[in-house]
Amino acid sequence: MAKMINIALPKGRLGEKAYKVFSEAGYKCPEIEESNRKLIFENEETGVRYFWAKPSDVAIYVERGAADVGIVGKDILLEYAPDVYELIDLGIGKCRMAVAGIKNKRPSTDSVLRVATKFPNIAKEYYASLGRDIDIIKLNGSIEIAPLLKMSDVIVDIVETGTTLKENNLEPYESIVEISARMIANKASFKFKQTEIETMIEKVKSALAQRS
Ligand code: PRP
């Protein structure tokens, strides 16, 4: 009998888009489409159990094997470097990691740069590659406020449409890396549920191909 696959989805818009890809691939779970506050949904017929996790926690569930597979932004993989397999680029949730700051007011290069971010590891690695000394200010959200209040010189954050920057008199200075959603798998699950996961990869890939 086919083994059930546990799938961690990031709660929110990206997770809904990812579920759509999986349902097009044949992994429907009608219950998840009803709006309610349940967090775990199962469909024995298609052999899947979905659950909604906080986006930054998806990789933790997968790394620890609570989920066999999960959908996570490349930003999370770069920041936390979880010990998981990265299987497919879903091509959804596209955005970029960028350095941004006050419009037309680039900070001088001779002092230590104060960098506010939710992604300290990505920021450290980027500035290390440039040989630039920085002072990291770790925040958990609404990063754009930091340069406005002169707490930081720049931010390292996700830019999608650019609207948040624009509406706060900020502008992107440099791009660091392109981001999109990835399907990841737990390493042990990949061995023990190999047939099921490989079938899933093929079906998801062909669902994505149908779209383009
Ligand atoms: C992200 C990011 C920016 C915004 C960028 O924030 O941190 O604030 O989206 O999108 P835009 O370029 O389309 O305006 P998120 O909504 O994840 O919330 P956060 O402030 O808690 O990080």
Side-chain angles (χ1 to χ4, degrees):
M1 209 189 110
K3 296 176 186 122
M4 196 85 172
I5 301 190
N6 295 301
I7 306 172
L9 292 175
K11 209 168 175 191
R13 218 154 35 96
L14 179 62
E16 281 159 26
K17 281 189 193 165
Y19 168 73
K20 204 151 177 284
V21 173
F22 278 80
S23 77
E24 286 166 19
Y27 298 98
K28 279 194 196 308
C29 190
E31 210 193 345
I32 209 171
E33 293 166 33
E34 297 160 19
S35 78
N36 56 37
R37 306 200 74 158
K38 250 184 97 156
L39 296 170
I40 304 184
F41 304 89
E42 191 173 307
N43 186 353
E44 271 184 42
E45 269 168 49
T46 51
V48 284
R49 185 185 296 120
Y50 290 102
F51 62 88
W52 295 116
K54 195 173 152 77
S56 52
D57 289 342
V58 166
I60 301 174
Y61 287 101
V62 175
E63 189 174 33
R64 291 187 167 260
D68 301 306
V69 302
I71 303 304
V72 65
K74 182 70 178 173
D75 51 329
I76 303 290
L77 298 178
L78 292 170
E79 180 62 27
Y80 299 101
D83 188 19
V84 297
Y85 291 132
E86 187 181 324
L87 303 175
I88 308 176
D89 182 349
L90 295 183
I92 56 173
K94 284 190 180 173
C95 52
R96 62 191 167 112
M97 188 66 66
V99 177
I102 308 279
K103 205 172 165 197
N104 300 323
K105 235 180 147 186
R106 297 200 176 218
S108 79
T109 48
D110 32 275
S111 54
V112 174
L113 194 69
R114 296 168 306 156
V115 182
T117 186
K118 244 191 326 195
F119 304 94
N121 292 325
I122 293 176
K124 278 180 203 160
E125 200 174 309
Y126 175 67
Y127 283 106
S129 78
L130 299 179
R132 181 88 205 259
D133 282 337
I134 60 165
D135 173 16
I136 289 274
I137 303 166
K138 166 80 167 73
L139 296 175
N140 298 298
S142 301
I143 318 295
E144 293 82 0
I145 299 170
L148 298 175
L149 299 179
K150 300 188 168 56
M151 184 168 80
S152 79
D153 301 305
V154 296
I155 61 174
V156 164
D157 200 13
I158 283 170
V159 179
E160 192 181 347
T161 60
T163 311
T164 311
L165 292 180
K166 215 177 249 166
E167 293 192 354
N168 289 291
N169 192 38
L170 302 169
E171 67 177 357
Y173 293 159
E174 297 139 47
S175 276
I176 300 180
V177 64
E178 300 294 320
I179 305 290
S180 58
R182 309 297 158 103
M183 177 176 163
I184 56 171
N186 172 270
K187 290 187 168 176
S189 301
F190 196 74
K191 216 188 265 167
F192 296 119
K193 299 185 181 178
Q194 193 178 3
T195 315
E196 290 80 2
I197 294 177
E198 278 178 352
T199 303
M200 181 173 271
I201 293 171
E202 287 319 308
K203 287 185 172 173
V204 168
K205 276 187 181 164
S206 55
L208 290 172
Q210 292 274 327
R211 288 182 154 198
S212 52

